[in-house]
C-alpha cells in the first residue's frame, strides 16, 4: 500500500509548479546560514510597523524612515478586529487598506513579512480577535475548537488572498508568512502540533507559497525564529538544535516596551543597551533581525489591550514603545543606533553571513583584563567583537595575529566589531580599530566611514602593494609597516568630517572620518524616482525622500556643516546649514512678483530659526454638556450583561439597580467578576473608583430606605496575551451587598516563622506557606491577586490551568471548598515577593442585588450644550470630603482645579494653524488637570485618557485636522479644563530644506 502524500508536501509541489510559471520573478531560498534572494545572500533587516496604528497619510513617511535607516524589510501584523469590527461587516478601505500598505512597501523596494494571526498579541485589544467572537456558543480561543476554527477560516478567506496576491511569485515583495504567534508560550510543539498544522495548512490551501515562519514554538515545514531582548546566545543554541538547516532569525527583537496606566515610563532599554543587544545578535550569528517595534504608533479608539502581570495592566493610548521612531515618526537616539548598525550590516553583511564563530580555544587575540573577545571568521577574514567589562570609558590595546596591535576605545559595557584583514578590494585588506559603517563605491570611490567619539583617536590599517595618499582635509599620520606590507592610519575624530583620498592597488578609496554624533546624522539615500544614484547626506538631523526622489532635510543648527557625497545634481560639496537656508531664501525671493513684499535673505533666515510655528489655541471657555447618569427609563433585567452580551465593543456601560436598607451606615459592595475600572455611585454621590479588578469589595455609604446603586464601567481593553483570552468585560454576573474584602498578604506561616508577602523576602526552595480564616456567616469566597501554583484550601488542590506564577494575578472562586462554621486554611508554595495584591473576598449568596437596568455609551452622549462656567469648587469639595470619609477611597475624589462632580463633555471649535512651507509639525494635546475619559477629533476616536501617568500628551494626527475643527473631551469626574492645551513636539521648531 502506498502512503498518501501529506498535505504539506502536496502544497509544496503545487507551489513549485506555480513558481516555475513565474520563473522571471524573484525567488527566495535559504540554507542554514541565511535567506537568499535569487541565489544571493540577504541579511533580513526588518522594521516592525503596524499599518493600523497610524493614519494612512503617515504610512509613506514612516516606511521611508525605515528604509533610510537601512531596513530592507517591513514586518506587520494584521488585526482581525480592525477588518471585521462587527460580524460579517468587513473593512479594507482607508486606514484599513492593508493591501495598499503592502503595495507601498513594494513601491519603496521593501520586502515584507506578514503575520496574519489570527492571534497577534501586539498589546492590542483581545490579541486581534473581534469582540463578538466571545458571544459564540462553546467557543474556545486558540484551540482546535469547531466554533473557533469556523470563524478563523472565514477570516482567512478574506485576509489571505490579500497577502497571496502580493507574494514574490506574483511580482510582489511578501517573502515570509507567519503561522499563528508565540504559541510556544501556551504549550510545547508536540501538544501544539494539531492546531498549528491546521493553521499552517489553511495558509497553504489558500495559495501561500513563500516560506512559512513561526516564533516561540514551531510547526512541521516552517522556519522558527526567536523573540527576545537579551540572551541571544541561548536562543540561538535552541534554534540551532531544533532546526540546524534553517536561517537563524530574531522574529521580535524588543527595542523597547509597552506602558500601562499607572505604571512607570518604559525607558529602561536605553540607546547604549540597545546597541549592545544588537551587537550580541550579530556576534552570535543571526542573519535576520525584526525590530519590534521600529515604529509603535498609537492605540486609537478602544484598541489598547490588557496583559497579565497584575489586575489592572491596561495599555495606555500611546504605543510609542520607546522605539527607534517615536509615536510621531521622529528619529530618536535608538534610531541612530539602528541606522549605524544597519549600515555596518550593509557594508559587511556578506562576510557576516558566511562566517562561523571562532571556537574559544582557537582565539589568539591578546588583550588586557577588563575586556573579552569573541570572533567570527571566513577563511583568513575575521571580525572580532570586543566587549568592555569596565565601569568607565577606556582605550584598550589588543594584539591580533601576526603581532598587529591596535588601540580600541570602549564605553562601559560596549561591544565594538573589529575588522581583521577583511578584503575590501582586490589585494586590499582592511583592519580597523573603530566602527566602520561603509564599504561601497560612491561617485567612483570606494568609500568607508570610520566612526568614534568626538576627540577620540583610532587606528586603521590597509594591506596593499601600493598606496598613494592623494589628498586629505585633515591632518593624518600614515606609517608603513614593511613586515606586513601594511599602511597604518592614525586618525582623530572631530565634529567636522574629515576626508582622506587615496589609491590602493589602483583602487580609488575614500576614508570619511566622523565622530559618533555626525554618524548619527549620516544618511544613505539609494535613489528614488528618476534619480537612481547612490548619495550620502551628512549633517542633517532628519531626512525624507519624495516619490519623485526629491530629498528634504531638517536643520537644527544653522552653523553645522552639511556634507553631500555621491551623485547630487550640483555635485559633491560642503555647505553650512545657513548656506542651505540662504539658497532656499533666494529661491523664495526670485519667485516673488511684488517687489514691495520682498524680504531679504537674512530676514527669512532669521524668521526660520527664531519664529517657530505656533500650535492651535483652545479657547478658555469651551461649551459643555453635563451628563446625568441614569438608566431609569430602561426595563430591568435579572443580572447585569457584559459588553458582548449588550452588543457593544468599547466605551462605557452604566449599571443601575435599587435596594432597601433598614439603617444608615457603611457596608461593602461585592463585585465578584469585574474586569475593568468602575465608578461606584450611591444615590448620585460618587463613592469610589475601583482600579484593582478581577473581583472587588468596595465600602459605600447607604441610607435608610431606598437606595440607588450605579456602576459606571469603562471598557479598558481585553487581555491581549493570556491563557484566559476572552474575559467578559463590564459586570459579568451577580453583584452582592454586604461582605468583606481582606488584604491577606501579611501573617503567612512557614516552618521557619511568619512571612509577610507585602515585604521583600529571600526564601529558598519554595517553602509551603499557610494562613487561616473564618467565614463569619459568609458562604462564598473569592481569592484574587498573586496566588501561586499549588494552591490548596482545606487540604484540597485548587486547579489553575494555564496559570504561571509570574502572571501575578488570578481570580479564584473558593466557595465549593469552604467549611462553614470551621477554621479554613489556605496553603501555597512561596513564589516571590513583594506581592502587589492578594485579597480574600467573603460574602453571602442571599445578598445578591437584582433587577438591573443598563445603558450603553449612547446614553452618555452630549444632549444639550451650554456655556462653560467654573464650578463652585468649595461646595463640591465639601461633598467629596464627605464621600471620602465614608468610603476611604480618596483616590477617586476630585480635589484639584475644580470639578462639576459628574461626567461632563467639553467641546472646542478651533481653526487649523497656518504652517510655513519650511516646517513639518506634530501636534499633541496635553490634559493637565483632567481625570479619565475619552478624546474625539472631527469624528475620529483618539483613544482613552487617564491622568495617572505615565502618558501626559496625546497624539493629534495632522492629517485628521480640517480648516475648522471640533475637539470633544469626555471627563468622568467633570474636572475643569483650564490647563488643557495644544503643543507641537520639540522638533517642530526646525526648518526643512530641499537638498539637491
Amino acid at each position: 500500500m502506498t502512503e498518501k502524500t501529506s498535505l504539506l508536501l502536496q502544497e509544496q509541489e503545487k507551489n513549485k509548479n506555480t513558481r516555475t510559471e513565474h520563473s522571471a520573478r524573484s525567488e527566495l531560498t535559504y540554507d542554514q546560514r541565511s535567506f537568499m534572494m535569487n541565489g544571493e545572500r540577504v541579511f533580513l533587516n526588518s522594521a516592525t510597523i503596524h499599518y493600523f496604528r497610524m493614519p494612512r497619510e503617515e504610512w509613506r513617511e514612516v516606511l521611508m524612515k525605515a528604509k533610510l535607516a537601512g531596513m530592507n524589510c517591513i514586518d506587520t501584523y494584521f488585526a482581525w478586529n480592525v477588518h471585521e469590527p462587527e460580524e460579517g461587516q468587513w473593512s479594507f478601505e482607508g486606514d484599513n487598506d492593508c493591501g495598499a500598505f503592502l503595495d507601498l512597501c513594494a513601491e519603496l523596494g521593501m520586502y515584507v513579512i506578514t503575520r496574519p494571526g489570527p492571534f497577534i498579541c501586539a498589546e492590542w485589544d483581545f490579541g486581534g480577535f473581534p469582540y463578538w467572537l466571545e458571544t459564540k456558543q462553546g467557543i474556545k480561543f486558540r484551540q482546535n475548537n469547531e466554533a473557533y476554527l469556523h470563524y478563523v477560516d472565514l477570516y482567512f478567506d478574506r485576509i489571505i488572498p490579500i497577502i497571496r496576491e502580493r507574494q514574490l511569485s506574483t511580482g510582489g515583495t511578501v517573502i515570509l508568512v507567519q503561522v499563528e504567534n508565540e504559541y510556544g508560550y501556551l504549550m510545547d510543539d508536540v501538544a501544539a502540533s494539531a492546531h498549528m498544522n491546521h493553521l499552517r495548512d489553511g495558509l497553504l490551501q489558500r495559495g501561500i507559497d513563500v516560506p512559512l515562519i513561526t516564533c516561540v514554538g514551531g510547526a512541521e515545514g516552517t522556519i522558527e525564529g526567536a523573540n527576545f531582548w537579551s540572551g541571544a546566545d541561548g536562543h540561538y543554541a535552541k534554534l540551532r538544535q531544533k532546526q540546524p538547516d534553517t536561517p537563524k532569525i530574531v522574529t521580535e527583537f524588543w527595542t523597547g516596551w509597552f506602558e500601562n496606566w499607572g505604571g512607570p515610563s518604559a525607558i529602561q532599554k536605553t540607546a547604549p543597551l540597545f546597541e549592545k543587544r544588537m551587537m550580541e545578535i550579530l556576534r552570535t550569528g543571526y542573519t535576520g533581525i525584526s525590530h519590534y517595534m521600529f515604529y509603535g504608533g498609537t492605540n486609537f479608539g478602544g484598541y489598547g489591550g490588557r496583559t497579565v502581570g497584575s489586575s489592572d495592566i491596561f495599555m495606555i493610548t500611546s504605543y510609542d514603545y520607546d522605539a527607534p521612531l517615536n509615536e510621531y515618526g521622529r528619529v530618536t537616539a535608538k534610531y541612530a543606533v539602528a541606522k549605524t548598525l544597519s549600515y555596518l550590516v550593509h557594508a559587511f553583511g556578506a562576510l557576516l553571513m558566511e562566517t562561523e564563530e571562532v571556537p574559544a580555544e582557537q582565539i589568539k587575540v591578546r588583550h588586557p583584563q577588563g575586556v573579552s573577545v569573541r570572533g567570527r571568521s571566513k577563511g583568513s577574514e575575521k571580525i572580532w567583537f570586543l566587549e568592555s567589562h569596565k565601569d568607565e570609558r577606556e582605550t584598550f590595546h589588543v594584539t591580533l595575529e601576526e603581532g598587529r596591535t591596535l588601540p580600541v576605545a570602549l564605553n562601559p559595557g560596549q561591544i565594538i566589531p573589529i575588522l581583521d584583514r577583511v578584503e575590501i578590494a582586490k589585494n586590499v585588506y582592511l583592519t580597523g580599530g573603530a566602527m566602520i559603517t561603509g564599504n561601497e563605491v560612491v561617485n567612483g570611490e570606494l568609500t568607508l566611514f570610520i566612526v568614534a567619539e568626538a576627540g577620540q583617536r583610532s587606528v586603521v590599517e590597509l594591506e596593499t602593494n601600493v598606496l598613494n595618499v592623494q589628498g586629505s582635509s585633515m591632518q593624518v599620520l600614515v606609517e608603513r609597516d614593511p613586515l606586513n606590507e601594511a599602511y597604518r592610519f592614525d586618525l582623530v575624530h572631530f565634529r567636522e568630517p574629515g576626508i582622506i583620498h587615496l589609491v590602493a592597488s589602483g583602487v580609488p578609496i575614500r576614508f570619511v572620518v566622523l565622530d559618533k554624533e555626525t554618524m548619527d546624522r549620516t544618511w544613505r539615500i539609494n535613489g528614488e524616482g528618476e534619480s537612481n544614484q547612490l548619495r550620502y547626506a551628512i549633517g542633517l538631523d532628519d531626512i525624507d525622500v519624495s516619490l519623485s526622489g526629491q530629498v528634504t532635510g531638517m536643520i537644527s543648527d544653522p552653523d553645522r556643516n552639511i556634507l553631500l557625497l555621491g551623485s547630487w545634481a550640483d555635485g559633491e560639496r560642503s555647505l553650512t546649514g545657513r548656506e542651505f537656508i540662504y539658497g532656499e531664501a533666494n529661491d523664495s525671493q526670485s519667485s516673488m512678483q511684488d517687489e514691495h513684499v520682498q524680504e531679504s535673505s537674512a530676514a527669512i533666515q532669521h524668521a526660520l530659526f527664531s519664529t517657530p510655528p505656533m500650535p492651535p489655541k483652545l479657547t478658555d471657555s469651551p461649551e459643555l454638556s453635563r451628563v446625568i447618569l441614569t438608566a431609569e427609563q430602561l426595563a430591568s433585567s435579572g443580572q447585569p450583561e457584559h459588553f458582548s452580551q449588550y452588543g457593544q465593543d468599547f466605551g462605557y456601560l452604566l449599571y443601575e439597580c435599587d435596594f432597601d436598607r433598614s439603617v444608615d451606615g457603611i457596608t461593602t459592595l461585592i463585585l465578584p467578576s469585574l474586569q475593568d475600572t468602575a465608578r461606584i455611585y450611591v444615590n448620585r454621590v460618587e463613592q469610589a473608583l475601583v482600579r484593582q479588578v478581577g473581583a472587588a469589595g468596595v465600602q459605600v455609604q447607604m441610607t435608610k430606605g431606598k437606595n440607588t446603586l450605579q456602576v459606571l464601567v469603562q471598557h479598558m481593553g481585553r487581555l491581549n496575551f493570556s491563557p484566559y483570552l476572552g474575559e467578559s468585560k463590564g459586570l459579568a454576573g451577580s453583584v452582592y451587598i454586604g461582605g468583606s474584602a481582606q488584604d491577606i498578604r501579611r501573617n503567612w506561616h512557614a516552618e521557619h516563622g511568619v512571612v509577610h508577602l507585602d515585604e521583600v523576602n529571600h526564601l529558598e526552595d519554595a517553602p509551603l506557606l499557610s494562613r487561616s480564616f473564618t467565614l463569619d456567616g459568609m458562604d462564598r469566597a473569592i481569592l484574587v491577586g498573586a496566588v501561586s501554583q499549588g494552591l490548596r484550601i482545606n487540604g484540597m488542590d485548587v486547579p489553575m490551568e494555564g496559570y504561571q506564577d509570574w502572571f501575578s494575578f488570578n481570580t479564584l472562586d473558593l466557595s465549593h471548598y469552604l467549611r462553614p462554621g470551621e477554621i479554613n486554611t489556605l496553603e501555597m508554595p512561596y513564589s516571590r515577593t513583594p506581592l502587589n495584591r492578594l485579597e480574600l473576598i467573603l460574602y453571602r449568596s442571599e445578598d445578591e442585588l437584582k433587577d438591573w437596568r443598563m445603558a450603553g455609551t449612547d446614553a452618555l452622549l452630549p444632549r444639550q450644550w451650554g456655556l462653560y462656567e467654573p464650578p463652585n469648587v468649595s461646595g463640591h469639595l465639601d461633598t467629596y470630603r464627605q464621600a471620602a470619609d465614608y468610603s476611604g477611597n480618596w483616590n477617586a475624589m476630585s480635589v484639584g482645579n475644580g470639578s462639576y462632580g459628574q461626567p461632563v463633555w467639553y467641546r472646542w471649535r478651533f481653526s487649523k494653524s497656518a504652517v510655513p512651507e519650511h516646517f513639518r509639525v506634530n501636534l499633541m494635546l496635553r490634559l493637565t488637570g483632567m481625570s479619565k475619559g475619552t478624546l474625539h477629533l472631527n469624528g475620529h476616536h483618539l483613544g482613552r485618557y487617564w491622568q495617572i501617568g505615565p502618558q501626559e500628551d496625546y497624539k493629534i494626527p495632522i492629517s485628521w485636522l480640517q480648516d475648522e475643527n471640533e475637539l470633544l473631551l469626555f471627563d468622568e469626574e467633570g474636572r475643569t479644563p483650564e490647563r488643557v492645551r495644544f503643543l507641537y513636539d520639540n522638533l517642530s521648531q526646525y526648518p526643512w530644506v530641499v537638498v539637491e
Side-chain angles (χ1 to χ4, degrees), residues 325-342:
L325 283 176
N326 72 13
E327 183 180 6
Y328 299 88
R330 299 291 197 189
V331 300
T332 68
K334 284 185 180 177
Y335 180 91
V337 169
K339 177 160 62 71
T340 296
L341 296 193
S342 294

Side-chain angles (χ1 to χ4, degrees), residues 387-419:
E387 180 175 1
S388 170
H389 304 285
K390 290 294 190 75
D391 294 330
E392 62 184 36
R393 180 178 178 81
E394 188 169 331
T395 297
F396 301 88
H397 283 81
V398 294
T399 298
L400 307 179
E401 296 170 333
E402 302 171 4
R404 294 166 295 131
T405 299
L406 297 176
V408 181
L410 290 168
N411 292 321
Q414 187 178 20
I415 301 174
I416 289 287
I418 302 303
L419 305 177

Side-chain angles (χ1 to χ4, degrees), residues 734-993:
S734 302
V735 177
Y736 301 84
I737 194 73
S740 67
Q742 306 170 30
D743 183 343
I744 60 168
R745 290 178 295 173
R746 300 187 67 80
N747 299 315
W748 287 79
H749 295 275
E751 185 177 354
H752 72 280
V754 176
V755 178
H756 300 307
L757 300 181
D758 58 349
E759 300 176 357
V760 175
N761 296 278
H762 300 287
L763 306 180
E764 298 180 355
D765 301 324
L768 188 65
L769 309 177
S770 65
R771 195 182 194 283
S772 299
F773 65 94
T774 57
L775 295 175
D776 297 327
M778 309 295 175
D779 65 344
R780 303 294 301 272
I782 292 175
L783 185 64
V784 57
V787 296
S788 298
Q789 282 280 11
L791 178 73
R792 294 167 60 87
I793 178 170
N794 298 326
M796 295 175 282
D797 293 327
V798 179
M800 292 188 290
E801 184 177 355
Y803 182 76
Q804 303 288 333
D805 287 343
W806 61 268
F807 288 178
S808 299
F809 175 71
N810 201 355
T811 306
L812 299 170
D813 189 341
L814 305 180
S815 302
H816 298 299
Y817 305 93
L818 300 178
R819 292 177 178 171
E822 301 181 23
I823 294 176
N824 292 262
T825 302
L826 292 169
E827 297 175 292
M828 65 179 186
Y830 174 85
S831 177
R832 62 176 182 174
T833 55
L835 305 186
N836 62 0
R837 186 186 184 194
L838 190 61
E839 285 185 296
L840 180 66
I841 298 175
L842 302 174
Y843 58 100
R844 291 183 301 194
S845 303
E846 63 189 56
D847 293 331
E848 179 184 353
L849 296 175
K850 298 183 179 180
D851 299 324
W852 288 87
R853 302 177 294 275
M854 291 183 60
T857 295
D858 54 348
L860 305 179
L861 296 177
R863 302 298 179 189
Q864 184 175 357
W865 293 99
L867 296 176
Y868 170 76
E869 295 180 3
N872 183 339
V873 176
S874 60
H876 286 295
L877 191 56
D878 290 341
T879 301
Y880 290 148
R881 285 199 182 104
Q882 183 182 22
D885 290 340
Y886 288 147
S887 70
N889 283 278
W890 224 171
N891 66 307
M893 305 309 152
S894 300
V895 296
N897 58 323
S899 169
Y900 286 96
Q902 66 186 98
V904 170
W905 284 93
Y906 296 101
R907 179 168 68 183
W908 289 269
R909 301 185 190 277
F910 65 94
S911 299
K912 183 179 180 181
S913 293
V915 179
E917 62 175 333
H918 290 286
F919 291 87
R920 297 186 178 188
V921 298
N922 285 316
L923 185 62
M924 61 186 70
L925 184 67
R926 180 162 293 178
L927 297 178
T928 304
M930 305 312 292
S931 65
K932 181 174 178 286
T934 57
L935 295 167
H936 310 261
L937 173 73
N938 298 333
H940 295 278
H941 192 329
L942 298 178
R944 311 177 183 101
Y945 72 86
W946 194 359
Q947 288 301 99
I948 59 172
Q951 185 167 0
E952 184 176 9
D953 301 318
Y954 296 79
K955 179 176 177 178
I956 307 292
I958 295 296
S959 61
W960 289 352
L961 290 178
Q962 303 167 4
D963 290 338
E964 299 298 326
N965 303 274
E966 178 185 70
L967 175 69
L968 296 175
L969 186 153
F970 175 74
D971 194 80
E972 294 179 17
E973 295 178 13
R975 299 291 290 267
T976 54
E978 285 89 350
R979 299 177 66 189
V980 173
R981 66 191 191 276
F982 283 127
L983 301 168
Y984 284 145
D985 72 340
N986 290 335
L987 296 181
S988 293
Q989 65 183 303
Y990 300 117
W992 288 67
V993 297

Side-chain angles (χ1 to χ4, degrees), residues 658-667 683 701-707 737 844 847 849:
D658 302 320
F659 62 94
D660 293 320
R661 298 295 286 178
S662 59
V663 295
D664 292 341
I666 297 173
T667 189
N683 301 326
Q701 173 70 30
M702 307 295 178
T703 61
K704 182 178 180 180
K706 179 183 175 181
N707 291 264
I737 194 73
R844 291 183 301 194
D847 293 331
L849 296 175

Side-chain angles (χ1 to χ4, degrees), residues 456-610:
Q456 182 62 50
R457 307 195 76 84
S458 65
V459 170
V460 296
E461 289 185 350
L462 283 181
E463 293 180 45
T464 178
N465 295 328
V466 180
L467 182 137
N468 293 312
V469 177
Q470 296 192 324
S472 176
S473 68
M474 60 185 296
Q475 294 291 321
V476 59
L477 176 64
V478 184
E479 297 180 332
R480 185 173 185 272
D481 182 352
L483 182 63
N484 297 318
E485 293 187 339
Y487 293 84
R488 186 181 182 95
F489 291 77
D490 185 344
L491 308 172
V492 61
H493 297 261
F494 291 125
R495 290 183 174 85
E496 294 286 344
I499 298 180
I500 306 169
H501 298 276
L502 52 95
V503 176
S505 297
V507 178
I509 297 176
R510 169 168 48 187
F511 288 167
V512 182
V513 184
L514 305 174
D515 78 317
K516 181 183 178 302
E517 288 191 8
T518 305
M519 182 63 218
D520 293 347
R521 299 188 183 98
T522 295
W523 304 86
R524 182 181 186 274
I525 305 164
N526 191 6
E528 296 292 324
E530 298 177 0
S531 174
N532 195 30
Q533 301 297 317
L534 178 62
R535 293 167 288 175
Y536 275 89
I538 301 173
L540 294 164
D541 301 84
D542 203 347
I543 282 281
D544 192 20
V545 184
S546 71
L547 184 61
S548 65
Q550 184 181 72
V551 178
T552 52
M554 187 186 79
I555 300 176
S556 65
D557 180 359
D559 294 317
R560 185 189 305 132
N561 254 1
I562 311 297
L563 176 63
L564 303 179
L565 304 178
S567 300
W568 295 93
D570 294 331
E572 296 191 345
R573 62 201 189 278
S574 177
L575 298 169
T576 65
R578 200 173 297 279
E579 288 171 317
F580 269 104
I581 298 297
Y582 181 82
E584 287 285 297
N586 275 342
D587 292 342
S588 299
Q589 274 194 314
S590 64
S591 66
M592 293 180 181
Q593 301 301 314
D594 187 351
E595 62 181 12
H596 297 292
V597 297
Q598 292 185 12
E599 298 178 50
S600 70
S601 300
I604 293 176
Q605 290 182 62
H606 178 77
L608 286 176
F609 282 99
S610 63

Side-chain angles (χ1 to χ4, degrees), residues 675-745:
Q675 303 298 336
D676 298 278
T677 60
R679 290 191 184 274
I680 310 299
Y681 304 83
V682 177
N683 301 326
R684 312 295 177 182
V685 176
E686 183 177 338
Q687 304 281 310
L689 171 62
V690 180
R691 286 181 54 179
Q692 291 193 323
V693 298
V698 186
Q699 285 195 321
V700 292
Q701 173 70 30
M702 307 295 178
T703 61
K704 182 178 180 180
K706 179 183 175 181
N707 291 264
T708 298
L709 170 69
Q710 294 174 311
V711 182
L712 180 64
V713 180
Q714 184 182 22
H715 189 310
M716 294 297 294
R718 291 176 183 267
L719 286 166
N720 54 261
F721 168 75
S722 171
Y724 315 119
L725 284 178
E727 79 276 25
S728 297
K729 305 295 286 181
L731 292 182
S734 302
V735 177
Y736 301 84
I737 194 73
S740 67
Q742 306 170 30
D743 183 343
I744 60 168
R745 290 178 295 173

